[in-house]
Amino acid sequence: MLAAEGLTCAQNPPSAPDHPWDSSLAKHQLKVPPRPASTAVLDPAKVYTLSELVNIAEENNPDTRVAWQNAKARAADLGIAKSTLYPTLAAEVLAGTTREGIFFGTSFQRQTVETFSPVLALDYIIFDFGRRSEKISISRNNLLAANFQFNDTHRRVIFGVMQTYYHLLDTKGLQDAAEANLKNAQTVDQAAEARLQVGLATLPDVLEARSAAAQADYNLQAAIGASEIAQGDLATALGISPTVEFQVESIQTIKMPDMIGDAVETSIDKALAQRPDLLQRVADLRATSAEVKETQRDFFPTLSIDGNAGMARAYGQQGQMPRVYAPTINPWNAQLTLSWTLFDGVAREKRLQRAQADQKQAAATVDSIRDQVENQVWSAYSTARTALRQEKAAAALLEAATESYKAALESYNYGVRSQIDVVSAQRTLADARTAAVTARTQLLTGLAALSYQTGDLLYAKTP
């Protein structure tokens, strides 16, 4: 009774709109299952490359298992559709008793009959004008769409890992830059303190240097927090717990590409030929076309055969006469049926109209997705090309800012440059370091996005 009461209460709607629903009973009954054991064991001392992490994600991310099971279900649907091409054979045991009054002569005689019959029953559609074939075609294209959806899930998982991976490299690069900026700021602060001791600097100069060092330390702490968050995001993309510790390579050790391999027209052609989400929509269009043909077949007749054959034993009795036993006989029954629906309240016409509308909708969806794909590739290509130019400019900026800071600090120590000059040079160098790290990650992310939009992520020549 208590369990029944809990179920009843959990199924009631909230009692009022002005306060939250009391979900204590539902929370007691609905418990989130624990995280399944991961097959990947990450070594906290190992430095993982991007390809290794992508492989781990494809093995552990639950999205790939969801798409996999969906494809397996569609494969089962195809098997079910193909099974309709074969006859149905069933073993049946029929047992029954009847009692009735039979009019005989001038009176009704009571008659009782008991039968026991094990038989084999056959049911087979001989011809249906291709209706079953079109159902098989629908199921086959649905399976094809599910397979492309499975591939697209892998494409999204791979790109998700690449995005979070490069974001983590970006945050760690910014952390390294922040640490270098703090050291530079502390160097300037120490120089200002030393000059103040010998009377070559003023207190405002020292306070300015201290402020710059404090600001650099503040920026470093923010960069450390961003790295920790990015580490958890990458772990989630891998399908593992965010608390798992592992190391990744440095952004400075990755060789930057100096050009984009394909022209934009080639990239667009690739996307139209291999993007799984676009091909999934094409498979949906083929499925709706087969559904239109299957619906049109409903206007034609169906020829089928069914029957049964087996053994039979019977007992019978009329009135007060002796009970009679019939020996084993071999009854059989067969019939050929031609079924043709002449009128069904225009239901077939409406189903055909619905199928035709679904087909036109699928065709329009393919057109829309194709336009989106072309625009996405164009946008990703332009972004990657811009990031390539920015990375080269940022590298030149960092080199120039480094030389300027060294010269300003050396001149300051000789008393030629002012405190404002050296602090300004130090802040320019800090901005240049940040810009260099950001430009490198933007280039890598831009190229990854271009591969994602063209579908090349599924056809990588390397792991």
Side-chain angles (χ1 to χ4, degrees), residues 9 39 52 67 85 105 158 195-196 201-202 205 209 220 229 242 248 253 269 275 287 329 339 343 367 399 441:
C9 294
T39 58
E52 292 173 327
L85 297 176
I158 293 171
R195 290 176 63 82
L196 179 64
T202 64
D205 292 338
L220 174 60
I229 295 174
V248 296
T253 61
D269 292 339
R275 272 276 293 264
I329 58 177
S339 176
F343 181 73
D367 293 338
E399 183 179 359
T441 53

Side-chain angles (χ1 to χ4, degrees), residues 139-213:
S139 298
R140 182 177 290 111
N141 285 287
N142 286 337
L143 173 58
L144 188 62
N147 288 341
F148 281 123
Q149 181 186 10
F150 175 73
N151 283 0
D152 194 51
T153 300
H154 275 272
R155 183 177 70 105
R156 288 186 282 105
V157 167
I158 293 171
F159 184 57
V161 173
M162 297 180 77
Q163 279 186 310
T164 53
Y165 177 81
Y166 289 140
H167 179 60
L168 177 59
L169 296 191
D170 181 58
T171 57
K172 286 188 173 297
L174 294 178
Q175 180 179 338
D176 294 338
E179 292 174 353
N181 295 336
L182 178 59
K183 291 181 181 180
N184 291 342
Q186 291 173 343
T187 299
V188 175
D189 184 26
Q190 293 170 1
E193 295 280 359
R195 290 176 63 82
L196 179 64
Q197 296 297 327
V198 296
L200 298 178
T202 64
L203 182 59
D205 292 338
V206 175
L207 295 178
E208 178 70 18
R210 290 177 183 174
S211 175

Side-chain angles (χ1 to χ4, degrees), residues 164 168 225-244 246:
T164 53
L168 177 59
S227 296
E228 293 175 349
I229 295 174
Q231 183 97 9
D233 293 339
L234 178 56
T236 302
L238 298 178
I240 61 178
S241 173
T243 60
V244 176
F246 58 94

Side-chain angles (χ1 to χ4, degrees), residues 116-127:
F116 175 79
S117 304
V119 298
L120 293 176
L122 174 70
D123 187 8
Y124 180 52
I125 298 177
I126 300 175
F127 188 68

Side-chain angles (χ1 to χ4, degrees), residues 95-99 112-116 313-317 323-324 326:
T97 177
T98 60
R99 173 173 290 179
T112 303
V113 178
E114 300 170 355
T115 59
F116 175 79
R313 293 183 178 181
Y315 295 87
Q317 185 178 17
R323 186 179 180 86
V324 178

